[in-house]
Every structure is written in C-alpha cells, then in structure tokens.
Amino acid sequence: MSTLVEDNPAEHRFEILVDDALAGFAAYEPRGEVLVFTRTEVDPKFQNMGVGAALVRGTLDQLRERGATLVPRCSFVSAFIDRHPEYADLVEVEA
C-alpha cells in the first residue's frame, strides 16, 4: 500500500492518497502562517488501517518543514498530538 500526503490549498485541506485513491483529508482554515484544523475524515473502506494517523503525521511533518504552526480544533488531530508529543511544538496557543 503506497500513501502520499499532499496539501490541496484550493480545498483548504491536506489529502492522503492510498494507491492513487483519495482515502481521507484534514480540513483547515488558513490564518496567515497558522492553520486551524477543523475536521479529519477517512473514507470508511480505509478506516482501521492507520490511514488517519499517516495523514496527520504527514501533515504535521510538512507544516514543520514550512515553519508553520497549527491550532488543532479537530479532536482527531488534537488526540494525535497528545499521543505524539514530538509535535507539540507546532501547536499555536490561541489567545
């Protein structure tokens, strides 16, 4: 199974492709260099296969490369960061 995570700025979401099929996405609202993640969805046929975790990990790695930060309003993204504290430095504290 090959996966690819890529930003789709026109749709305001990071998408994960599994064997060239759209398997899920993490939607965001851009606020300058900060992305506010609002929801994550994984196609039911790809659930329980680690696709959601791969999507969030790939998204966070790309944000780190860009020097961007995020606000995890989506419970899935927030829970992933809680389980993987190496990404906690990417979280922007909301005022």
Side-chain angles (χ1 to χ4, degrees):
M1 177 171 80
S2 71
T3 62
L4 171 68
V5 175
E6 57 188 7
D7 190 5
N8 181 343
E11 295 288 330
H12 298 296
R13 66 189 195 179
F14 279 83
E15 300 172 339
I16 186 165
L17 304 175
V18 175
D19 298 330
D20 297 323
L22 180 63
F25 64 87
Y28 61 83
E29 297 171 5
R31 304 255 167 89
E33 286 300 305
V34 178
L35 299 182
V36 179
F37 282 85
T38 56
R39 71 175 198 201
T40 301
E41 289 187 22
V42 174
D43 186 299
K45 68 182 173 194
F46 293 103
Q47 289 180 355
N48 301 314
M49 296 170 58
V51 171
L55 168 61
V56 176
R57 183 180 308 280
T59 297
L60 296 175
D61 288 344
Q62 289 183 43
L63 292 180
R64 176 165 281 140
E65 287 173 18
R66 292 184 198 172
T69 56
L70 74 141
V71 174
R73 289 215 185 122
C74 164
S75 60
F76 189 86
V77 173
S78 181
F80 182 91
I81 293 170
D82 287 346
R83 288 191 312 275
H84 300 276
E86 65 270 24
Y87 292 107
D89 61 309
L90 298 176
V91 175
E92 185 76 26
V93 178
E94 286 190 282

